[in-house]
Amino acid sequence: MDIHFTGIRNASYIVLKGQRHSFPVKDRILNVQLTDDEFGKDLSEFKKAIRDTGNKFLNPFRDDFVNIDHYSMNRNELPMLYLNGEAIPETDEHLPIFSFIGKLTKKIATMPEENFINDLGYLKHYADKALLLDQKLSETIGKEIPDCLERVHQPEKIKKGANQINKQLNNMMVEYFA
């Protein structure tokens, strides 16, 4: 079996549900490390997409990671997309970012499961704080590191999650262009 790198590594995904002002809210969060290799130039494409925004959309911990959060209230109403903790305004200026996220999530959703790579160094030193940016995954889930890491690094769930974010992004763009 040949394993090919695909321009991404260390992907994780989680759905968080809660309440905000008596409304049900849902966050679908996808976190992935971007690389440039012979099978994809995802890191370069990301930097190009955010080039005109300064450093606003860079990941606050590591600039080769992207953290995509689709937030919604009341069953996908009032959707908002966040990139590395920053809300992405639905404006023409930010269309390259939406396009990049659409392309990346589609790529992840169609990747063969054997192409999902997680580095030991990432799992040991960064994974607990990478997915949720402002809080530790182990504290949010209430489980020790090995148990919670297994939950969020399952290729099947990551693929489904990327597909869901892609669908929600497409719905947002249909509304934007309407």
Side-chain angles (χ1 to χ4, degrees):
M1 164 176 50
D2 290 329
I3 295 179
H4 300 287
F5 295 106
T6 57
I8 66 164
R9 307 178 70 78
N10 300 317
S12 56
Y13 176 78
I14 194 168
V15 175
L16 297 176
K17 296 178 182 179
Q19 291 283 119
R20 190 164 296 153
H21 307 293
S22 74
F23 292 102
V25 296
K26 182 187 286 187
D27 284 286
R28 290 180 178 94
I29 306 169
L30 174 68
N31 194 68
V32 63
Q33 183 179 18
L34 303 177
T35 64
D36 286 344
D37 60 32
E38 64 183 285
F39 297 101
K41 302 291 183 208
D42 297 305
L43 182 57
S44 293
E45 289 178 24
F46 168 66
K47 288 180 178 180
K48 181 179 177 185
I50 66 166
R51 179 179 47 219
D52 295 335
T53 66
N55 291 328
K56 180 178 180 180
F57 292 105
L58 282 178
N59 188 292
F61 303 109
R62 292 184 52 180
D63 64 4
D64 59 342
F65 272 81
V66 294
N67 184 285
I68 302 164
D69 180 355
H70 178 272
Y71 168 86
S72 62
M73 290 181 127
N74 259 1
R75 297 186 178 256
N76 299 323
E77 291 180 26
L78 303 171
M80 190 66 163
L81 205 60
Y82 291 82
L83 178 59
N84 293 323
E86 295 290 332
I88 309 169
E90 292 179 40
T91 64
D92 287 354
E93 173 187 354
H94 295 94
L95 288 178
I97 296 172
F98 287 107
S99 178
F100 169 78
I101 292 171
K103 183 178 176 184
L104 180 65
T105 54
K106 185 174 183 176
K107 178 179 186 173
I108 293 169
T110 60
M111 275 178 53
E113 289 186 19
E114 62 269 13
N115 286 2
F116 283 81
I117 307 294
N118 289 307
D119 300 315
L120 185 57
Y122 157 79
L123 293 171
K124 287 174 73 174
H125 302 291
Y126 186 60
D128 192 31
K129 59 185 172 190
L131 184 59
L132 301 180
L133 292 182
D134 62 344
Q135 53 193 311
K136 287 188 172 186
L137 180 64
S138 55
E139 292 173 3
T140 300
I141 293 178
K143 292 188 177 187
E144 295 295 318
I145 286 295
D147 295 329
C148 64
L149 292 183
E150 182 179 335
R151 174 181 168 187
V152 301
H153 290 94
Q154 296 176 17
E156 181 181 327
K157 288 184 179 179
I158 295 166
K159 289 169 55 109
K160 287 180 181 178
N163 190 50
Q164 274 296 99
I165 291 173
N166 188 276
K167 285 181 182 180
Q168 297 301 329
L169 172 61
N170 284 331
N171 291 341
M172 291 172 67
M173 291 296 95
V174 166
E175 287 289 320
Y176 175 72
F177 288 113

